[in-house]
Amino acid sequence: MSTIDASSLMAMRSTMLARSEALQKIATGGAAAAKVEPASGFGQMLGEVNALQAKAGAASEAFERGTETDIAQVMLARQKASISFEATLQVRNKLLSAYRDIMNMPV
């Protein structure tokens, strides 16, 4: 079993935040994020991830039609959408795990 020190954990967190626009908005929200209900904050994050995926899909379609010629921009949009989806999936998994842990606590 390997141990993870706090500095490497914070480095991984900062890397995920740097790669995901949706997570950056939530993390830098500060006081504004504290006033938002958790469910609506998560819903907002899902909406932003969906917007990134739609943007990536539109960029791919534009490239396929020939109206967009910069493959780097298309691939960057697709990568942003992929990373934000993976980060959202990991957040969902952690929340589900925490819920299961709480439900399995003895009374």
Side-chain angles (χ1 to χ4, degrees), residues 87-101:
T88 303
L89 186 64
Q90 292 301 319
V91 168
R92 181 201 67 104
N93 290 343
K94 291 293 181 183
L95 287 172
L96 188 58
S97 175
Y99 175 78
R100 286 182 183 151
D101 290 345

Side-chain angles (χ1 to χ4, degrees), residues 20-70:
S20 174
E21 291 175 15
L23 289 177
Q24 283 176 359
K25 289 180 183 177
I26 290 174
T28 59
K35 294 178 184 176
V36 175
E37 294 289 326
S40 65
F42 194 68
Q44 179 183 6
M45 185 176 72
L46 288 176
E48 292 174 5
V49 170
N50 186 37
L52 284 173
Q53 289 180 334
K55 183 179 176 183
S60 294
E61 289 176 13
F63 183 77
E64 290 169 0
R65 285 192 307 266
T67 57
E68 174 68 40
T69 58
D70 189 7

